[in-house]
Amino acid sequence: MKDTLIVLCCPTLNRLFTQRAVGSLKETDLTRAELIVIDNNHDGGFYYPSVLSGMLKLAVDSGKNLILVEDDTEINDYNWIDRLYEVSERLKADIVGCVHTYEDGAVNHEGVYIDDDLTMWLRADVMTGREDVIDGAIYVPALYGAVMLIKNPSLYHIDTNYKKYHHDVDICLQAWRDGSRVACILDLKIIHHLRYYDLRNPSFIDIYNSDTLYFAKKWVSYAPELLEIPQLRRYKKGHSSDAAWPGFFNRAMKLRAFNKGLAVEMFNRVVAECYNERFVAEAYYQLFLIEGGMEHLKNCLIYNPCHGPAKRSLEDLSAKKSSFISQCRHPIICRQCHLLTQ
């Protein structure tokens, strides 16, 4: 029984990004889903929020949940749909998304912060307390709809007053306002070629600003309540500025020269708590440089099979070639590793 409708809209199926998006979807487990691809053939009158509103109604009428997917994404996790539903059940969240990365593996964002003045900014590599991570996922104020599960779609609506942007954030606020939740999965990643299209569109700034103004006017009275929700209180001004992993990692790197003990503690925290494989792999490599031990090298290559210095070090230490030196399962299409080759 198919319980999910996946909708992807595009200006043309002939675009390379779109072919990547559709191709990656077809290589995942779609047994519980129906995939609808809408090619608008560069129709100047195409109105994205209105089309999504129609798709939401179709999902409701057919008794299915809805997953929005944009045509500049690539999904390489075979069980991504089941993972969205697992987190939805575990965190009691109707709206669920995941981490977005650039093609080189760098994290683009892990959800959207919304300050009490309705300023929006992207969450990326933020150090999150262990108590805030549940089943590999966190609560966030909002998500962008490049990949977004909308469960119980009859409870939500797509506001067609938006011209193109922020209708996805709008749905997230609907969820929080009406007693549901919004979650981002930290261990599920997609490639999102963010705004490659938008930046070539001369009207992008005007449309984006117009939608931002409408969003602010619509939600201004609710903003103070949003950040008082128990799951979101840490996002309040003065409480949301958790240190980010890049800064923490760079500090540990500086400490190696004069405080190796503290550097080791910090690198161990990275491998225990960070969800960015690149930082975890490099932390293991730095632990090897400080403490020695082949296990650190092996762990490094588990998280980043393309880590050149770790490969060479392991080869030097091994009497015979170790199986950990050839862990990469994508020797041709390296971008599927979501890692920055070193």
Side-chain angles (χ1 to χ4, degrees):
M1 175 66 181
K2 295 184 181 293
D3 61 357
T4 306
L5 191 66
I6 302 174
V7 174
L8 182 150
C9 297
C10 63
T12 173
L13 279 167
N14 295 324
R15 188 151 50 182
L16 178 58
F17 284 157
T18 304
Q19 292 175 5
R20 285 184 179 183
V22 175
S24 70
L25 277 170
K26 289 183 176 181
E27 292 180 357
T28 67
D29 183 6
L30 299 179
T31 53
R32 66 187 296 175
E34 295 181 17
L35 172 61
I36 296 179
V37 179
I38 301 174
D39 183 340
N40 68 48
N41 196 28
H42 292 290
D43 180 2
F46 182 78
Y47 189 34
Y48 189 49
S50 179
V51 171
L52 291 186
S53 179
M55 292 296 100
L56 186 67
K57 183 177 185 303
L58 177 62
V60 173
D61 292 345
S62 59
K64 295 180 174 62
N65 297 314
L66 181 66
I67 295 180
L68 303 180
V69 177
E70 294 183 358
D71 72 326
D72 57 351
T73 62
E74 295 180 58
I75 301 172
N76 297 301
D77 188 310
Y78 184 75
N79 296 309
W80 67 286
I81 298 177
D82 286 342
R83 184 71 180 119
L84 290 173
Y85 276 104
E86 287 172 3
V87 168
S88 174
E89 292 294 326
R90 181 72 175 82
L91 275 69
K92 308 299 183 196
D94 275 356
I95 314 298
V96 183
C98 60
V99 174
H100 297 210
T101 76
Y102 293 106
E103 192 170 18
D104 67 0
V107 172
N108 173 271
H109 70 281
E110 306 156 340
V112 180
Y113 281 147
I114 301 178
D115 284 332
D116 52 13
D117 61 0
L118 290 177
T119 300
M120 288 182 279
W121 46 289
L122 299 180
R123 179 191 198 280
D125 283 325
V126 172
M127 296 174 65
T128 302
R130 293 183 181 182
E131 69 279 4
D132 294 316
V133 181
I134 305 170
D135 190 21
I138 56 171
Y139 292 113
V140 292
L143 299 162
Y144 284 149
V147 170
M148 176 188 283
L149 168 66
I150 303 174
K151 197 174 177 183
N152 300 313
S154 63
L155 301 179
Y156 303 98
H157 70 277
I158 305 287
D159 189 336
T160 56
N161 289 306
Y162 293 105
K163 298 177 180 178
K164 186 175 181 181
Y165 304 100
H166 301 333
H167 55 274
D168 40 13
V169 179
D170 190 285
I171 288 178
C172 295
L173 266 60
Q174 292 176 42
W176 286 115
R177 180 196 62 194
D178 297 337
S180 186
R181 302 171 181 178
V182 180
C184 178
I185 307 174
L186 297 179
D187 57 17
L188 175 62
K189 299 183 178 182
I190 63 162
I191 297 174
H192 186 193
H193 304 281
L194 184 67
R195 291 184 176 162
Y196 283 10
Y197 302 158
D198 294 335
L199 296 178
R200 293 200 296 265
N201 182 351
S203 63
F204 161 67
I205 296 297
D206 289 340
I207 295 174
Y208 186 87
N209 288 342
S210 174
D211 283 344
T212 299
L213 179 60
Y214 175 73
F215 173 83
K217 289 181 177 179
K218 177 177 179 179
W219 291 102
V220 63
S221 62
Y222 177 67
E225 297 178 41
L226 175 70
L227 298 179
E228 291 298 333
I229 296 172
Q231 293 84 1
L232 299 182
R233 281 179 183 164
R234 69 187 185 89
Y235 293 111
K236 293 178 68 174
K237 281 185 175 178
H239 300 279
S240 64
S241 300
D242 301 317
W245 285 114
F248 183 86
F249 187 88
N250 288 337
R251 180 166 175 258
M253 292 288 285
K254 293 177 181 178
L255 286 168
R256 292 176 308 168
F258 56 90
N259 193 336
K260 290 185 178 180
L262 181 54
V264 167
E265 289 182 18
M266 295 176 73
F267 287 131
N268 278 321
R269 182 177 176 186
V270 173
V271 302
E273 299 181 18
C274 185
Y275 278 85
N276 187 323
E277 293 94 339
R278 295 186 304 159
F279 288 126
V280 175
E282 187 59 32
Y284 273 121
Y285 183 67
Q286 294 303 321
L287 287 170
F288 161 74
L289 293 179
I290 297 172
E291 300 179 328
M294 292 178 61
E295 285 304 311
H296 288 322
L297 293 176
K298 292 178 180 180
N299 286 328
C300 172
L301 292 172
I302 287 173
Y303 285 93
N304 183 355
C306 300
H307 195 292
K311 283 184 180 181
R312 292 189 290 272
S313 297
L314 193 55
E315 286 176 335
D316 291 342
L317 293 174
S318 302
K320 59 180 180 179
K321 188 174 182 180
S322 170
S323 61
F324 282 88
I325 296 175
S326 301
Q327 287 290 313
C328 184
R329 293 171 295 173
H330 306 289
I332 297 175
I333 310 175
C334 291
R335 58 190 165 80
Q336 292 193 25
C337 292
H338 299 286
L339 298 166
L340 182 61
T341 302
Q342 299 189 28

